[in-house]
Amino acid sequence: MKKYDYLIVGAGLFGSVFAHEMTQRGFSCLVIEKRDHIGGNIYCENVEGIHVHKYGAHIFHTSDKEVWDYVNQFAEFNHYVNSPIAVYKDELYNLPFNMNTFSKLWGIRTPQEAKDIIAEQIASLNIGEPQNLEEQALSLAGRDVYEKLVKGYTEKQWGRDCKDLPPFIIKRLPLRFTYDNNYFNDRYQGIPIGGYTKMIEKMLEGSEVMLNTDYFEFREKYPEAAKKTVYTGPLDAYFDYKLGILQYRTVRFETELLEMENYQGNAVVNYTEREIPYTRIIEHKHFEFGTQPVTVISREYPEEWKPGMEPYYPINDETNETLADAYRALAEKEENTIFGGRLGNYQYFDMDKVVRSALNLVESQL
């Protein structure tokens, strides 16, 4: 095998941005990917002309104009605005918590009425320093918002009672006193027309890509394949879990094709009561304003992660962060390996932050 300048482990967003930039500058890059497709968790599968977000909904949003302009080189983005709906029993609410939500909850119209009700509920609870997530949420939003829209959803997400979860998980609850259903505050937002896979394909033009390739087997066979390695796999796996296993939450998807034009009228519908086992239903065609005669939906079931399952959300509690710091210290001593992305950093990133961190790495390499 010829020797490359960079071996990039993982054909997700981080690895693809880095590969594109270095290839453009004349460096040779080999990208290896253990899955049978590129794109990592933003991979979209074409089902009856609908771009199905196979690993959960991904909506690109950013206030970083440089990052927005950067991704627009590879795809034209549509004007999709994320405006989820929440279902509690037989009631429908708008998310994020805004005046439409409060009006439905209490039959009021003005921001001051909403503020007064929330302040009154918080005051009546007499919570000092919150000792758990339940107290934290109650002290931020009052009982009604917590009981109907936070409690059940959060307990499903984390697989634990809110009283058993640390308060730092909910640092703030965005309460908006306007009639605006846009979930994100960022200036730029949308979905690539044609899906994310097409965007990643363009990023990887000029790089060599090997799918169905396990990094550890590859490394054993070709230890001298590249001068440097950019590793985006799990941080603890790189060191063969020798200090212990970092914990995650994972998600199981139940996806089905339905012989109807429109199932729920919105891309994202959250189910906030604990008794319903899934947290939300995604109807993929609405991300691109699809008009196909059929539709595809995915139910999302959060689950406890075990090794061998797909890791989604790092559990950044004190125990895991201490362990991650120990692994990060080992990572810094690896001379020719650079750790990047969500798994390589054991940190959850929005997509724009992934792009920014990859671009920063390019700068540091140059």
Side-chain angles (χ1 to χ4, degrees):
M1 174 171 279
K2 75 175 194 185
K3 188 159 184 175
Y4 296 84
D5 293 313
Y6 289 94
L7 170 65
I8 298 159
V9 183
L13 186 56
F14 185 95
S16 300
V17 169
F18 184 83
H20 174 80
E21 290 303 304
M22 298 315 274
T23 302
Q24 291 292 99
R25 290 165 170 81
F27 294 90
S28 57
C29 294
L30 171 64
V31 182
I32 63 170
E33 169 58 57
K34 70 172 184 177
R35 293 172 176 168
D36 62 359
H37 60 75
I38 60 171
N41 280 9
I42 63 172
Y43 170 69
C44 292
E45 194 170 40
N46 191 319
V47 179
E48 303 278 342
I50 299 163
H51 297 111
V52 174
H53 295 213
K54 188 167 179 173
Y55 302 94
H58 286 84
I59 297 131
F60 201 97
H61 59 97
T62 187
S63 292
D64 186 332
K65 187 174 189 307
E66 191 183 335
V67 165
W68 181 246
D69 291 342
Y70 181 81
V71 294
N72 273 269
Q73 296 175 85
F74 307 102
E76 185 182 350
F77 279 69
N78 66 19
H79 58 283
Y80 175 80
V81 171
N82 191 29
S83 306
I85 300 290
V87 176
Y88 176 77
K89 300 193 186 294
D90 57 351
E91 301 163 19
L92 277 177
Y93 294 98
N94 289 102
L95 295 175
F97 314 129
N98 65 42
M99 285 305 298
N100 287 313
T101 320
F102 306 142
S103 174
K104 185 81 181 281
L105 272 171
W106 303 310
I108 53 147
R109 281 177 49 201
T110 68
Q112 193 56 54
E113 287 174 296
K115 286 178 182 178
D116 289 345
I117 290 170
I118 291 166
E120 190 181 315
Q121 288 190 5
I122 292 170
S124 71
L125 293 164
N126 292 314
I127 295 166
E129 184 65 33
Q131 299 303 303
N132 53 50
L133 187 146
E134 176 164 288
E135 291 184 359
Q136 175 78 345
L138 286 167
S139 67
L140 290 168
R143 187 166 297 284
D144 290 346
V145 171
Y146 170 71
E147 292 287 350
K148 292 191 173 187
L149 301 173
V150 177
K151 181 175 162 54
Y153 190 90
T154 307
E155 290 180 344
K156 286 189 285 192
Q157 214 171 18
W158 292 98
R160 290 163 183 76
D161 194 284
C162 284
K163 288 176 181 157
D164 299 327
L165 289 165
F168 75 80
I169 289 176
I170 293 185
K171 293 186 176 75
R172 59 188 185 84
L173 279 174
L175 303 176
R176 294 192 198 157
F177 297 96
T178 58
Y179 288 92
D180 180 6
N181 295 325
N182 181 358
Y183 193 80
F184 300 118
N185 286 315
D186 290 313
R187 183 173 174 189
Y188 309 105
Q189 181 176 175
I191 305 276
I193 296 168
Y196 286 101
T197 309
K198 200 170 150 190
M199 182 178 95
I200 297 291
E201 276 170 7
K202 286 202 171 173
M203 287 181 177
L204 290 173
E205 282 173 7
S207 300
E208 287 188 48
V209 180
M210 290 172 63
L211 301 177
N212 301 302
T213 304
D214 178 82
Y215 166 62
F216 302 106
E217 290 171 14
F218 181 90
R219 182 173 69 177
E220 204 169 299
K221 198 171 177 184
Y222 305 108
E224 305 294 322
K227 294 172 191 169
K228 286 190 176 179
T229 297
V230 175
Y231 175 82
T232 69
L235 178 59
D236 51 356
Y238 182 89
F239 297 102
D240 199 23
Y241 310 102
K242 67 182 182 183
L243 304 177
I245 294 173
L246 291 165
Q247 292 177 302
Y248 291 85
R249 288 290 287 170
T250 191
V251 184
R252 176 172 59 85
F253 299 97
E254 233 176 50
T255 298
E256 56 181 313
L257 174 69
L258 302 175
E259 297 293 330
M260 61 174 71
E261 198 177 328
N262 190 350
Y263 175 74
Q264 62 186 16
N266 206 47
V268 183
V269 176
N270 290 4
Y271 288 80
T272 62
E273 57 188 295
R274 181 132 191 205
E275 291 68 30
I276 291 175
Y278 44 86
T279 46
R280 59 184 185 171
I281 297 179
I282 306 300
E283 187 167 8
H284 301 268
K285 71 189 296 181
H286 295 308
F287 288 128
E288 295 186 70
F289 315 106
T291 56
Q292 297 87 351
V294 295
T295 193
V296 179
I297 63 165
S298 297
R299 294 180 183 86
E300 296 188 10
Y301 296 83
E303 292 184 344
E304 205 70 47
W305 176 84
K306 293 181 181 69
M309 298 170 86
E310 196 58 50
Y312 276 87
Y313 304 107
I315 297 178
N316 298 114
D317 60 14
E318 201 175 322
T319 307
N320 282 290
E321 272 306 300
T322 302
L323 182 55
D325 282 340
Y327 276 122
R328 289 175 191 129
L330 290 180
E332 280 179 29
K333 292 175 187 163
E334 292 288 303
E335 275 185 30
N336 295 313
T337 303
I338 302 150
F339 294 77
R342 174 180 58 97
L343 300 177
N345 286 288
Y346 192 67
Q347 187 181 345
Y348 183 79
F349 289 114
D350 284 331
M351 282 184 285
D352 63 325
K353 304 297 187 296
V354 172
V355 173
R356 172 53 68 199
S357 63
L359 294 174
N360 288 345
L361 176 58
V362 170
E363 289 304 313
S364 72
Q365 289 299 294
L366 296 175

